[in-house]
């Protein structure tokens, strides 16, 4: 079978750049605890749409970049994002069949578990105990999922990312 050349892969890089930017900008006061997990949403989207191009290794590398951005122990978010990508790869076929409402519920559960996992790692590796509510980032991410998915899917089809 003939391999087709990659098209539009710049959109993946641009979407990840925007996700990292949105993760880094400061939010006022109490809104910080409800910040959507933009990088996690992009990882979920690209693993769901292009599992053959966007997988566990790339998610791990993005986690290392995120560790650098957030100032956490190097490898913490690498492990968290690799686990996130692995979970989405396991559920890929099932998630693609779900309507957007059920996908949003699955995104809520997956991101909620990864946020709890990252907190356990922070406690174990960095001895940091915070009073963060892990449900808020997962909840806001799930609420935004239909719009993020719709926008990214439209762009992905228009640019013909393969």
């Amino acid at each position: 079978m003939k391999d087709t050349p990659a098209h539009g892969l710049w959109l993946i890089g641009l979407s990840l750049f925007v996700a990292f930017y949105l993760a880094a900008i400061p939010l006022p006061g109490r809104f910080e605890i409800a910040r959507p997990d933009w990088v996690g949403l992009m990882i979920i989207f690209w693993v769901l749409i292009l599992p053959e191009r966007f997988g566990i290794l790339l998610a791990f590398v993005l986690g290392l970049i995120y560790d650098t951005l957030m100032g956490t122990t190097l490898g913490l978010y690498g492990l968290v994002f690799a686990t996130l990508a692995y979970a989405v790869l396991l559920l890929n076929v099932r998630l693609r069949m779900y309507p957007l409402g059920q996908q949003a519920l699955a995104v809520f559960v997956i991101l909620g578990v990864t946020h709890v996992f990252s907190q356990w790692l922070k406690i174990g590796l960095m001895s940091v105990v915070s009073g963060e509510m892990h449900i808020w980032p997962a909840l806001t991410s799930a609420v935004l999922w239909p719009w993020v998915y719709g926008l990214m899917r439209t762009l992905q089809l228009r640019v013909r990312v393969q």
Side-chain angles (χ1 to χ4, degrees):
M1 187 180 292
K2 186 175 150 183
D3 279 338
T4 59
H7 294 289
L9 294 180
W10 60 268
L11 182 62
I12 295 174
L14 179 64
S15 67
L16 290 169
F17 176 79
V18 170
F20 275 102
Y21 178 76
L22 290 173
I25 59 172
L27 292 178
R30 303 293 285 168
F31 292 109
E32 186 67 36
I33 64 168
R35 175 191 300 273
D37 188 353
W38 296 108
V39 178
L41 285 173
M42 286 299 112
I43 290 172
I44 291 171
F45 177 79
W46 289 115
V47 170
L48 196 62
I49 298 301
L50 296 172
E52 66 280 353
R53 291 206 186 268
F54 199 104
I56 297 169
L57 183 61
L58 188 54
F60 181 79
V61 170
L62 291 174
L64 294 178
I65 295 168
Y66 196 76
D67 284 327
T68 306
L69 181 69
M70 294 299 159
T72 56
T73 302
L74 194 61
L76 188 140
Y77 278 101
L79 184 58
V80 170
F81 288 162
T83 305
L84 173 64
Y86 179 71
V88 175
L89 282 170
L90 283 178
L91 300 171
N92 193 306
V93 174
R94 191 172 294 158
L95 283 173
R96 291 177 86 162
M97 289 187 334
Y98 290 161
L100 279 178
Q102 285 180 326
Q103 278 184 7
L105 184 60
V107 165
F108 171 70
V109 171
I110 293 169
L111 286 177
V113 168
T114 58
H115 279 269
V116 170
F117 180 54
S118 71
Q119 186 60 34
W120 286 346
L121 288 175
K122 286 178 188 175
I123 291 169
L125 295 174
M126 299 170 39
S127 299
V128 174
V129 179
S130 68
E132 294 176 2
M133 295 280 298
H134 304 288
I135 195 157
W136 292 113
L139 185 62
T140 55
S141 298
V143 167
L144 290 173
W145 175 251
W147 289 282
V148 169
Y149 181 85
L151 173 68
M152 291 306 300
R153 185 69 172 156
T154 302
L155 289 172
Q156 183 255 333
L157 291 173
R158 184 161 293 160
V159 176
R160 292 184 229 157
V161 179
Q162 301 176 4

